[in-house]
Amino acid sequence: MQNSPLLGTETDPGYVPTSEEKTLAILCHVLCLVAWLFPPLIIYLIKKDESAYVTAHAKESFTFQITVCIVAIILAITIIGLFLLWLVGIVVTVFVIIATINASEAKLYRYPFTIRLIK
């Protein structure tokens, strides 16, 4: 189990997820690089009553993307922040890769620095 405040935390889900659950959990994270906020929201709405594993990954990915949006808006308001937006993109990509790896290894992942909006 990895517990690093800078890289996020991973936990065991308590059961072995099926390959379909792992695939959907992976998609919750990876598709955010292309379609931003919508993939985890759609997957959450479809699977929220069927799979606790997929639901946990979808919620986590969705709240992380909302947090990134808030940070990007704040940075875009300031002139110095405009020059830092590329750094946010790199950090987001790294965290999405870490989350994807954890999802493929059947672990739950919590992004660091995320505003927990959904319980």
Side-chain angles (χ1 to χ4, degrees):
M1 177 180 347
Q2 168 192 338
N3 287 318
S4 170
L6 296 177
L7 295 177
T9 57
E10 61 185 44
T11 57
D12 184 38
Y15 72 99
V16 178
T18 65
S19 63
E20 179 188 353
E21 288 176 314
K22 285 198 279 187
T23 301
L24 286 172
I26 290 168
L27 289 175
C28 285
H29 301 288
V30 171
L31 289 177
C32 287
L33 295 175
V34 179
W36 182 54
L37 188 65
F38 301 109
L41 178 61
I42 292 168
I43 292 171
Y44 171 75
L45 292 173
I46 292 172
K47 292 292 185 176
K48 67 181 178 182
D49 297 327
E50 297 175 29
S51 171
Y53 181 76
V54 174
T55 299
H57 277 281
K59 282 182 186 178
E60 192 63 24
S61 181
F62 185 69
T63 57
F64 179 67
Q65 295 303 321
I66 290 174
T67 302
V68 169
C69 179
I70 292 169
V71 169
I73 290 170
I74 291 170
L75 287 175
I77 291 172
T78 65
I79 303 231
I80 295 172
L82 285 173
F83 296 108
L84 297 175
L85 282 175
W86 65 272
L87 185 62
V88 172
I90 292 171
V91 170
V92 166
T93 303
V94 168
F95 286 145
V96 166
I97 290 169
I98 293 170
T100 302
I101 291 169
N102 280 297
S104 70
E105 294 175 349
K107 296 177 185 170
L108 297 175
Y109 179 74
R110 291 184 64 95
Y111 287 96
F113 315 115
T114 301
I115 302 168
R116 308 285 173 211
L117 301 170
I118 302 173
K119 299 285 179 184

